[in-house]
Every structure is written in structure tokens, then in C-alpha cells.
mmCIF file of all heavy atoms in Angstrom:
data_model
loop_
_atom_site.group_PDB
_atom_site.id
_atom_site.type_symbol
_atom_site.label_atom_id
_atom_site.label_comp_id
_atom_site.label_asym_id
_atom_site.label_seq_id
_atom_site.Cartn_x
_atom_site.Cartn_y
_atom_site.Cartn_z
ATOM 1 N N SER A 1 21.130 15.028 21.979
ATOM 2 C CA SER A 1 22.319 15.197 22.813
ATOM 3 C C SER A 1 22.738 13.929 23.552
ATOM 4 O O SER A 1 23.854 13.870 24.076
ATOM 5 C CB SER A 1 22.090 16.316 23.838
ATOM 6 O OG SER A 1 20.953 16.035 24.642
ATOM 7 N N VAL A 2 21.849 12.921 23.611
ATOM 8 C CA VAL A 2 22.174 11.653 24.275
ATOM 9 C C VAL A 2 21.880 10.522 23.292
ATOM 10 O O VAL A 2 20.753 10.011 23.233
ATOM 11 C CB VAL A 2 21.359 11.452 25.572
ATOM 12 C CG1 VAL A 2 21.772 10.152 26.268
ATOM 13 C CG2 VAL A 2 21.531 12.633 26.516
ATOM 14 N N PRO A 3 22.835 10.124 22.476
ATOM 15 C CA PRO A 3 22.603 9.053 21.503
ATOM 16 C C PRO A 3 22.110 7.779 22.184
ATOM 17 O O PRO A 3 22.588 7.394 23.254
ATOM 18 C CB PRO A 3 23.997 8.844 20.884
ATOM 19 C CG PRO A 3 24.698 10.139 21.093
ATOM 20 C CD PRO A 3 24.212 10.658 22.415
ATOM 21 N N GLY A 4 21.101 7.161 21.557
ATOM 22 C CA GLY A 4 20.565 5.913 22.088
ATOM 23 C C GLY A 4 19.399 6.079 23.033
ATOM 24 O O GLY A 4 18.784 5.090 23.428
ATOM 25 N N LEU A 5 19.067 7.329 23.381
ATOM 26 C CA LEU A 5 17.927 7.579 24.262
ATOM 27 C C LEU A 5 16.783 8.141 23.426
ATOM 28 O O LEU A 5 16.932 9.194 22.789
ATOM 29 C CB LEU A 5 18.315 8.565 25.367
ATOM 30 C CG LEU A 5 17.235 8.886 26.410
ATOM 31 C CD1 LEU A 5 16.824 7.637 27.175
ATOM 32 C CD2 LEU A 5 17.727 9.973 27.369
ATOM 33 N N HIS A 6 15.649 7.448 23.425
ATOM 34 C CA HIS A 6 14.502 7.821 22.593
ATOM 35 C C HIS A 6 13.306 8.153 23.478
ATOM 36 O O HIS A 6 13.121 7.566 24.542
ATOM 37 C CB HIS A 6 14.126 6.669 21.656
ATOM 38 C CG HIS A 6 15.248 6.206 20.774
ATOM 39 N ND1 HIS A 6 15.322 6.517 19.438
ATOM 40 C CD2 HIS A 6 16.357 5.441 21.053
ATOM 41 C CE1 HIS A 6 16.414 5.976 18.913
ATOM 42 N NE2 HIS A 6 17.054 5.313 19.882
ATOM 43 N N PHE A 7 12.455 9.062 22.990
ATOM 44 C CA PHE A 7 11.241 9.449 23.709
ATOM 45 C C PHE A 7 10.050 9.324 22.762
ATOM 46 O O PHE A 7 10.019 9.957 21.696
ATOM 47 C CB PHE A 7 11.332 10.888 24.219
ATOM 48 C CG PHE A 7 12.321 11.087 25.322
ATOM 49 C CD1 PHE A 7 13.665 11.327 25.030
ATOM 50 C CD2 PHE A 7 11.927 11.030 26.655
ATOM 51 C CE1 PHE A 7 14.591 11.512 26.045
ATOM 52 C CE2 PHE A 7 12.853 11.216 27.676
ATOM 53 C CZ PHE A 7 14.176 11.461 27.373
ATOM 54 N N LEU A 8 9.045 8.537 23.164
ATOM 55 C CA LEU A 8 7.839 8.365 22.360
ATOM 56 C C LEU A 8 6.655 9.022 23.061
ATOM 57 O O LEU A 8 6.643 9.186 24.283
ATOM 58 C CB LEU A 8 7.542 6.883 22.145
ATOM 59 C CG LEU A 8 8.660 6.004 21.582
ATOM 60 C CD1 LEU A 8 8.111 4.614 21.248
ATOM 61 C CD2 LEU A 8 9.317 6.632 20.367
ATOM 62 N N GLY A 9 5.630 9.351 22.282
ATOM 63 C CA GLY A 9 4.429 9.937 22.858
ATOM 64 C C GLY A 9 4.564 11.429 23.060
ATOM 65 O O GLY A 9 5.292 12.119 22.339
ATOM 66 N N ALA A 10 3.870 11.952 24.073
ATOM 67 C CA ALA A 10 3.789 13.395 24.299
ATOM 68 C C ALA A 10 5.134 14.109 24.368
ATOM 69 O O ALA A 10 5.248 15.244 23.881
ATOM 70 C CB ALA A 10 2.966 13.667 25.556
ATOM 71 N N PRO A 11 6.203 13.531 24.955
ATOM 72 C CA PRO A 11 7.479 14.243 24.967
ATOM 73 C C PRO A 11 8.044 14.550 23.585
ATOM 74 O O PRO A 11 8.923 15.406 23.450
ATOM 75 C CB PRO A 11 8.401 13.289 25.740
ATOM 76 C CG PRO A 11 7.484 12.562 26.660
ATOM 77 C CD PRO A 11 6.249 12.330 25.823
ATOM 78 N N ALA A 12 7.551 13.876 22.540
ATOM 79 C CA ALA A 12 8.020 14.139 21.174
ATOM 80 C C ALA A 12 7.244 15.273 20.506
ATOM 81 O O ALA A 12 7.536 15.635 19.362
ATOM 82 C CB ALA A 12 7.909 12.868 20.338
ATOM 83 N N PHE A 13 6.274 15.833 21.205
ATOM 84 C CA PHE A 13 5.403 16.864 20.635
ATOM 85 C C PHE A 13 6.191 18.059 20.107
ATOM 86 O O PHE A 13 5.935 18.555 19.002
ATOM 87 C CB PHE A 13 4.404 17.316 21.702
ATOM 88 C CG PHE A 13 3.575 18.516 21.338
ATOM 89 C CD1 PHE A 13 2.405 18.382 20.610
ATOM 90 C CD2 PHE A 13 3.958 19.799 21.729
ATOM 91 C CE1 PHE A 13 1.636 19.487 20.274
ATOM 92 C CE2 PHE A 13 3.208 20.912 21.404
ATOM 93 C CZ PHE A 13 2.034 20.751 20.680
ATOM 94 N N HIS A 14 7.151 18.559 20.868
ATOM 95 C CA HIS A 14 7.881 19.761 20.476
ATOM 96 C C HIS A 14 8.646 19.558 19.175
ATOM 97 O O HIS A 14 8.720 20.463 18.334
ATOM 98 C CB HIS A 14 8.842 20.179 21.586
ATOM 99 C CG HIS A 14 9.525 21.489 21.352
ATOM 100 N ND1 HIS A 14 10.667 21.612 20.585
ATOM 101 C CD2 HIS A 14 9.212 22.750 21.765
ATOM 102 C CE1 HIS A 14 11.037 22.886 20.544
ATOM 103 N NE2 HIS A 14 10.179 23.590 21.254
ATOM 104 N N SER A 15 9.202 18.366 18.982
ATOM 105 C CA SER A 15 10.017 18.102 17.792
ATOM 106 C C SER A 15 9.208 17.613 16.600
ATOM 107 O O SER A 15 9.532 17.944 15.455
ATOM 108 C CB SER A 15 11.096 17.062 18.129
ATOM 109 O OG SER A 15 11.990 17.549 19.104
ATOM 110 N N PHE A 16 8.142 16.842 16.851
ATOM 111 C CA PHE A 16 7.430 16.203 15.745
ATOM 112 C C PHE A 16 5.945 16.544 15.662
ATOM 113 O O PHE A 16 5.249 16.033 14.789
ATOM 114 C CB PHE A 16 7.618 14.688 15.821
ATOM 115 C CG PHE A 16 9.012 14.245 15.484
ATOM 116 C CD1 PHE A 16 9.959 14.058 16.474
ATOM 117 C CD2 PHE A 16 9.385 14.041 14.166
ATOM 118 C CE1 PHE A 16 11.255 13.665 16.169
ATOM 119 C CE2 PHE A 16 10.680 13.645 13.842
ATOM 120 C CZ PHE A 16 11.614 13.465 14.842
ATOM 121 N N GLY A 17 5.443 17.357 16.559
ATOM 122 C CA GLY A 17 4.100 17.873 16.402
ATOM 123 C C GLY A 17 2.995 17.131 17.121
ATOM 124 O O GLY A 17 3.222 16.152 17.841
ATOM 125 N N PRO A 18 1.753 17.606 16.924
ATOM 126 C CA PRO A 18 0.583 17.146 17.678
ATOM 127 C C PRO A 18 0.269 15.668 17.566
ATOM 128 O O PRO A 18 -0.319 15.104 18.485
ATOM 129 C CB PRO A 18 -0.566 17.986 17.104
ATOM 130 C CG PRO A 18 0.096 19.194 16.538
ATOM 131 C CD PRO A 18 1.417 18.727 16.021
ATOM 132 N N LEU A 19 0.622 15.019 16.449
ATOM 133 C CA LEU A 19 0.263 13.611 16.281
ATOM 134 C C LEU A 19 0.816 12.757 17.422
ATOM 135 O O LEU A 19 0.205 11.759 17.816
ATOM 136 C CB LEU A 19 0.778 13.088 14.940
ATOM 137 C CG LEU A 19 0.348 11.668 14.570
ATOM 138 C CD1 LEU A 19 -1.160 11.585 14.387
ATOM 139 C CD2 LEU A 19 1.065 11.199 13.310
ATOM 140 N N CYS A 20 1.937 13.177 17.980
ATOM 141 C CA CYS A 20 2.594 12.389 19.025
ATOM 142 C C CYS A 20 1.814 12.376 20.337
ATOM 143 O O CYS A 20 2.153 11.610 21.247
ATOM 144 C CB CYS A 20 4.003 12.919 19.269
ATOM 145 S SG CYS A 20 5.075 12.796 17.814
ATOM 146 N N ARG A 21 0.787 13.203 20.447
ATOM 147 C CA ARG A 21 -0.009 13.229 21.664
ATOM 148 C C ARG A 21 -1.190 12.278 21.606
ATOM 149 O O ARG A 21 -1.942 12.164 22.570
ATOM 150 C CB ARG A 21 -0.522 14.653 21.913
ATOM 151 C CG ARG A 21 0.562 15.621 22.315
ATOM 152 C CD ARG A 21 0.050 17.036 22.452
ATOM 153 N NE ARG A 21 -1.132 17.143 23.298
ATOM 154 C CZ ARG A 21 -1.755 18.285 23.570
ATOM 155 N NH1 ARG A 21 -1.303 19.416 23.051
ATOM 156 N NH2 ARG A 21 -2.814 18.307 24.341
ATOM 157 N N PHE A 22 -1.368 11.584 20.481
ATOM 158 C CA PHE A 22 -2.558 10.762 20.282
ATOM 159 C C PHE A 22 -2.182 9.328 19.937
ATOM 160 O O PHE A 22 -1.094 9.064 19.414
ATOM 161 C CB PHE A 22 -3.426 11.357 19.171
ATOM 162 C CG PHE A 22 -3.942 12.741 19.482
ATOM 163 C CD1 PHE A 22 -3.174 13.865 19.205
ATOM 164 C CD2 PHE A 22 -5.177 12.916 20.079
ATOM 165 C CE1 PHE A 22 -3.637 15.136 19.504
ATOM 166 C CE2 PHE A 22 -5.657 14.178 20.381
ATOM 167 C CZ PHE A 22 -4.882 15.289 20.095
ATOM 168 N N VAL A 23 -3.110 8.410 20.196
ATOM 169 C CA VAL A 23 -2.879 6.999 19.886
ATOM 170 C C VAL A 23 -2.578 6.805 18.408
ATOM 171 O O VAL A 23 -1.777 5.940 18.026
ATOM 172 C CB VAL A 23 -4.103 6.151 20.303
ATOM 173 C CG1 VAL A 23 -3.944 4.697 19.846
ATOM 174 C CG2 VAL A 23 -4.285 6.197 21.819
ATOM 175 N N SER A 24 -3.182 7.614 17.556
ATOM 176 C CA SER A 24 -2.961 7.472 16.111
ATOM 177 C C SER A 24 -1.525 7.778 15.706
ATOM 178 O O SER A 24 -1.138 7.520 14.562
ATOM 179 C CB SER A 24 -3.931 8.361 15.329
ATOM 180 O OG SER A 24 -3.777 9.723 15.692
ATOM 181 N N GLY A 25 -0.724 8.315 16.628
ATOM 182 C CA GLY A 25 0.678 8.568 16.332
ATOM 183 C C GLY A 25 1.583 7.379 16.576
ATOM 184 O O GLY A 25 2.784 7.444 16.298
ATOM 185 N N THR A 26 1.034 6.268 17.080
ATOM 186 C CA THR A 26 1.885 5.110 17.375
ATOM 187 C C THR A 26 2.543 4.544 16.124
ATOM 188 O O THR A 26 3.681 4.076 16.184
ATOM 189 C CB THR A 26 1.086 3.996 18.075
ATOM 190 O OG1 THR A 26 -0.043 3.624 17.264
ATOM 191 C CG2 THR A 26 0.589 4.456 19.448
ATOM 192 N N GLY A 27 1.850 4.602 14.998
ATOM 193 C CA GLY A 27 2.420 4.061 13.768
ATOM 194 C C GLY A 27 3.649 4.827 13.329
ATOM 195 O O GLY A 27 4.694 4.237 13.028
ATOM 196 N N PHE A 28 3.539 6.156 13.281
ATOM 197 C CA PHE A 28 4.694 6.968 12.903
ATOM 198 C C PHE A 28 5.854 6.723 13.852
ATOM 199 O O PHE A 28 6.995 6.494 13.432
ATOM 200 C CB PHE A 28 4.337 8.456 12.912
ATOM 201 C CG PHE A 28 5.547 9.337 13.034
ATOM 202 C CD1 PHE A 28 6.405 9.503 11.963
ATOM 203 C CD2 PHE A 28 5.867 9.944 14.247
ATOM 204 C CE1 PHE A 28 7.570 10.276 12.089
ATOM 205 C CE2 PHE A 28 6.999 10.712 14.391
ATOM 206 C CZ PHE A 28 7.860 10.879 13.306
ATOM 207 N N ALA A 29 5.600 6.788 15.148
ATOM 208 C CA ALA A 29 6.674 6.667 16.129
ATOM 209 C C ALA A 29 7.363 5.315 16.047
ATOM 210 O O ALA A 29 8.600 5.226 16.067
ATOM 211 C CB ALA A 29 6.109 6.899 17.535
ATOM 212 N N ALA A 30 6.582 4.241 15.977
ATOM 213 C CA ALA A 30 7.168 2.896 15.962
ATOM 214 C C ALA A 30 7.980 2.656 14.695
ATOM 215 O O ALA A 30 9.067 2.057 14.743
ATOM 216 C CB ALA A 30 6.062 1.850 16.096
ATOM 217 N N ARG A 31 7.480 3.124 13.544
ATOM 218 C CA ARG A 31 8.221 2.929 12.295
ATOM 219 C C ARG A 31 9.503 3.756 12.272
ATOM 220 O O ARG A 31 10.558 3.282 11.845
ATOM 221 C CB ARG A 31 7.329 3.257 11.099
ATOM 222 C CG ARG A 31 6.194 2.253 10.889
ATOM 223 C CD ARG A 31 5.515 2.457 9.547
ATOM 224 N NE ARG A 31 4.814 3.726 9.482
ATOM 225 C CZ ARG A 31 3.550 3.917 9.838
ATOM 226 N NH1 ARG A 31 2.852 2.902 10.339
ATOM 227 N NH2 ARG A 31 2.982 5.100 9.709
ATOM 228 N N ALA A 32 9.408 5.017 12.742
ATOM 229 C CA ALA A 32 10.598 5.871 12.762
ATOM 230 C C ALA A 32 11.659 5.309 13.693
ATOM 231 O O ALA A 32 12.855 5.287 13.366
ATOM 232 C CB ALA A 32 10.201 7.291 13.184
ATOM 233 N N LEU A 33 11.243 4.840 14.845
ATOM 234 C CA LEU A 33 12.165 4.243 15.805
ATOM 235 C C LEU A 33 12.832 3.006 15.211
ATOM 236 O O LEU A 33 14.057 2.827 15.309
ATOM 237 C CB LEU A 33 11.398 3.869 17.074
ATOM 238 C CG LEU A 33 12.167 3.106 18.152
ATOM 239 C CD1 LEU A 33 13.168 4.020 18.835
ATOM 240 C CD2 LEU A 33 11.193 2.513 19.177
ATOM 241 N N THR A 34 12.043 2.153 14.594
ATOM 242 C CA THR A 34 12.570 0.912 14.033
ATOM 243 C C THR A 34 13.543 1.187 12.898
ATOM 244 O O THR A 34 14.596 0.544 12.790
ATOM 245 C CB THR A 34 11.423 0.013 13.552
ATOM 246 O OG1 THR A 34 10.524 -0.228 14.641
ATOM 247 C CG2 THR A 34 11.938 -1.312 13.021
ATOM 248 N N ARG A 35 13.217 2.143 12.024
ATOM 249 C CA ARG A 35 14.137 2.496 10.943
ATOM 250 C C ARG A 35 15.472 2.972 11.508
ATOM 251 O O ARG A 35 16.538 2.620 11.005
ATOM 252 C CB ARG A 35 13.530 3.580 10.055
ATOM 253 C CG ARG A 35 12.420 3.107 9.133
ATOM 254 C CD ARG A 35 12.151 4.124 8.033
ATOM 255 N NE ARG A 35 11.739 5.411 8.572
ATOM 256 C CZ ARG A 35 10.472 5.772 8.809
ATOM 257 N NH1 ARG A 35 9.505 4.900 8.572
ATOM 258 N NH2 ARG A 35 10.183 6.966 9.262
ATOM 259 N N ARG A 36 15.406 3.789 12.546
ATOM 260 C CA ARG A 36 16.647 4.333 13.122
ATOM 261 C C ARG A 36 17.498 3.221 13.716
ATOM 262 O O ARG A 36 18.713 3.191 13.519
ATOM 263 C CB ARG A 36 16.287 5.358 14.210
ATOM 264 C CG ARG A 36 17.486 5.885 14.980
ATOM 265 C CD ARG A 36 18.352 6.759 14.097
ATOM 266 N NE ARG A 36 19.522 7.214 14.828
ATOM 267 C CZ ARG A 36 20.697 6.593 14.840
ATOM 268 N NH1 ARG A 36 20.852 5.465 14.144
ATOM 269 N NH2 ARG A 36 21.721 7.082 15.521
ATOM 270 N N ILE A 37 16.878 2.309 14.433
ATOM 271 C CA ILE A 37 17.651 1.262 15.101
ATOM 272 C C ILE A 37 18.105 0.187 14.114
ATOM 273 O O ILE A 37 19.227 -0.310 14.179
ATOM 274 C CB ILE A 37 16.837 0.651 16.244
ATOM 275 C CG1 ILE A 37 16.563 1.733 17.314
ATOM 276 C CG2 ILE A 37 17.547 -0.540 16.864
ATOM 277 C CD1 ILE A 37 15.685 1.281 18.450
ATOM 278 N N ALA A 38 17.241 -0.148 13.181
ATOM 279 C CA ALA A 38 17.595 -1.180 12.199
ATOM 280 C C ALA A 38 18.625 -0.677 11.207
ATOM 281 O O ALA A 38 19.347 -1.464 10.589
ATOM 282 C CB ALA A 38 16.347 -1.652 11.475
ATOM 283 N N GLY A 39 18.692 0.637 11.041
ATOM 284 C CA GLY A 39 19.685 1.203 10.126
ATOM 285 C C GLY A 39 19.298 1.108 8.674
ATOM 286 O O GLY A 39 20.104 1.392 7.786
ATOM 287 N N SER A 40 18.052 0.696 8.413
ATOM 288 C CA SER A 40 17.574 0.643 7.029
ATOM 289 C C SER A 40 16.095 0.945 7.024
ATOM 290 O O SER A 40 15.410 0.793 8.029
ATOM 291 C CB SER A 40 17.815 -0.741 6.415
ATOM 292 O OG SER A 40 17.142 -1.721 7.150
#
């Protein structure tokens, strides 16, 4: 609902699941964020 505002870590749990609550989720989050912003 607010384009350009991103949430990483535990707040992403509801949308993307348990991995976002752990350090091992940093790879998924960082790559997904970068793809979205880079546009490719």
C-alpha cells in the first residue's frame, strides 16, 4: 500500500514465512530487495 517502503526481518514473517525471523533469511531478503529496486 506504500510503494517504496520495504520491511526486512521479522515484520516480513506474515507475507514470506518463518525464514524472515532468522539470520539465514538475510540472503533471500537482500536478493529480493535488490531485484525489485534494480528492476532486473
Side-chain angles (χ1 to χ4, degrees):
S1 57
V2 183
L5 182 62
H6 303 256
F7 291 86
L8 307 188
F13 171 85
H14 187 276
S15 297
F16 289 94
L19 186 64
C20 298
R21 290 176 51 180
F22 298 86
V23 174
S24 59
T26 56
F28 159 73
R31 291 191 294 270
L33 174 72
T34 304
R35 286 196 300 270
R36 174 69 182 92
I37 296 176
S40 60

